[in-house]
């Protein structure tokens, strides 16, 4: 394996990429493999693609991009057999903004330029969707505004796993920037918890897997900044 994969449930895995501790999720079904976010570079994404072949036995068929930040979307073009889902704002993101933000965070400029040159527009621009993987369905939901105005989460009901994107972060405080809606974020986390339930596994966009109690504590932290 090129990266370490953590098993979260039957056919559900995630890895933490070394650059910025970004999470990439994997949901395996009888008729497809869904990837949640794709990392920053084509090199990262190709390493993941090779791992998916070993873990799941076939290529990624679907990708969900949780939001439009560079560290979650720039690897997507490495998966040329996959259908890509994302919010309309992902398609509207300016490439010069992606590049500047990536370089500001320390990414290699040549790698970023290659990823941006290859970047695809998601085929499915969504707020909500159900993705059929054969023997299981995965729900993609926009629970509300928070880290951005278009965050998507991926709910795997049969495994009781919720992949939260950057609506939840564990390895540092939630990132608040010009795209964030701090006033709406606590209510959005109420919706995230409703979709998952008290006993679900919640997977942050950065950091270790958490439980509902952690999400409540982050919600309180955010409420204190309103």
């Amino acid at each position: 394996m090129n990266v370490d994969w953590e098993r979260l449930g039957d056919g559900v895995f995630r890895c933490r990429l070394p650059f910025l501790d970004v999470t990439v999720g994997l949901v395996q079904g009888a008729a497809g493999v869904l990837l949640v976010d794709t990392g920053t570079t084509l090199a990262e994404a190709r390493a993941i693609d090779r791992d998916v072949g070993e873990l799941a036995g076939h290529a990624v068929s679907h990708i969900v991009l949780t939001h439009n930040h560079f560290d979650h979307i720039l690897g997507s073009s490495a998966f040329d057999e996959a259908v890509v889902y994302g919010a309309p704002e992902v398609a509207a993101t300016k490439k010069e903004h992606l590049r500047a933000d990536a370089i500001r965070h320390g990414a290699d400029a040549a790698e970023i330029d290659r990823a941006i040159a290859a970047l695809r527009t998601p085929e499915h621009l969504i707020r909500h969707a159900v993705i059929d993987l054969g023997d299981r369905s995965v729900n993609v939901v926009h629970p509300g505004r928070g880290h951005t105005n278009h965050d998507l989460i991926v709910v795997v009901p049969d495994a009781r796993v919720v992949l939260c994107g950057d609506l939840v972060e564990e390895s540092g405080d939630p990132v608040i920037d010009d795209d964030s809606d701090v006033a709406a974020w606590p209510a959005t986390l109420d919706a995230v918890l409703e979709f998952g339930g008290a006993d679900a596994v919640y997977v942050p966009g950065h950091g270790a897997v958490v439980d509902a109690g952690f999400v409540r504590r982050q919600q309180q932290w955010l409420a204190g900044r309103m």
Side-chain angles (χ1 to χ4, degrees):
M1 289 292 171
N2 295 285
V3 294
D4 293 329
W5 291 88
E6 178 182 1
R7 185 180 183 276
L8 307 175
D10 184 24
V12 184
F13 302 86
R14 75 85 176 253
C15 67
R16 295 168 67 173
L17 298 176
F19 184 63
L20 301 181
D21 195 20
V22 180
T23 282
V24 172
L26 186 158
V27 184
Q28 181 180 3
V33 175
L34 168 69
L35 211 62
V36 182
D37 290 333
T38 60
T40 301
T41 68
L42 296 176
E44 281 183 336
R46 288 170 183 141
I48 290 167
D49 192 30
R50 291 192 295 271
D51 283 358
V52 170
E54 290 189 46
L55 279 171
H58 50 88
V60 174
S61 57
H62 301 76
I63 291 170
V64 173
L65 302 174
T66 60
H67 62 291
N68 69 349
H69 291 168
F70 75 92
D71 50 329
H72 296 263
I73 72 171
L74 285 182
S76 59
S77 295
F79 304 94
D80 54 9
E81 296 182 31
V83 176
V84 182
Y85 294 73
E89 289 82 354
V90 175
T93 304
K94 295 184 181 301
K95 291 182 178 181
E96 57 267 30
H97 174 78
L98 290 170
R99 186 182 193 279
D101 200 23
I103 301 304
R104 182 169 61 86
H105 282 84
D108 179 85
E111 290 274 9
I112 295 303
D113 288 342
R114 282 191 284 271
I116 289 175
L119 190 61
R120 300 160 49 191
T121 299
E123 288 87 356
H124 296 280
L125 302 178
I126 60 165
R127 287 282 186 262
H128 305 276
V130 177
I131 298 176
D132 181 8
L133 297 177
D135 55 345
R136 73 190 333 163
S137 292
V138 173
N139 299 319
V140 185
V141 181
H142 171 56
R145 300 163 66 96
H147 177 63
T148 70
N149 64 0
H150 60 275
D151 300 285
L152 301 178
I153 63 172
V154 176
V155 184
V156 190
D158 61 310
R160 302 185 68 85
V161 173
V162 182
L163 295 121
C164 302
D166 284 2
L167 284 170
V168 179
E169 295 194 44
E170 186 276 334
S171 53
D173 291 334
V175 172
I176 299 169
D177 58 24
D178 292 343
D179 298 331
S180 303
D181 189 336
V182 178
W185 203 333
T188 296
L189 290 179
D190 275 332
V192 171
L193 289 165
E194 185 174 344
F195 282 112
D199 298 325
V201 171
Y202 293 89
V203 186
H206 305 263
V209 169
V210 301
D211 59 12
F214 179 95
V215 178
R216 286 292 184 203
R217 291 190 294 275
Q218 181 176 294
Q219 182 185 50
Q220 292 163 6
W221 184 91
L222 288 161
R225 279 146 183 81
M226 290 169 55

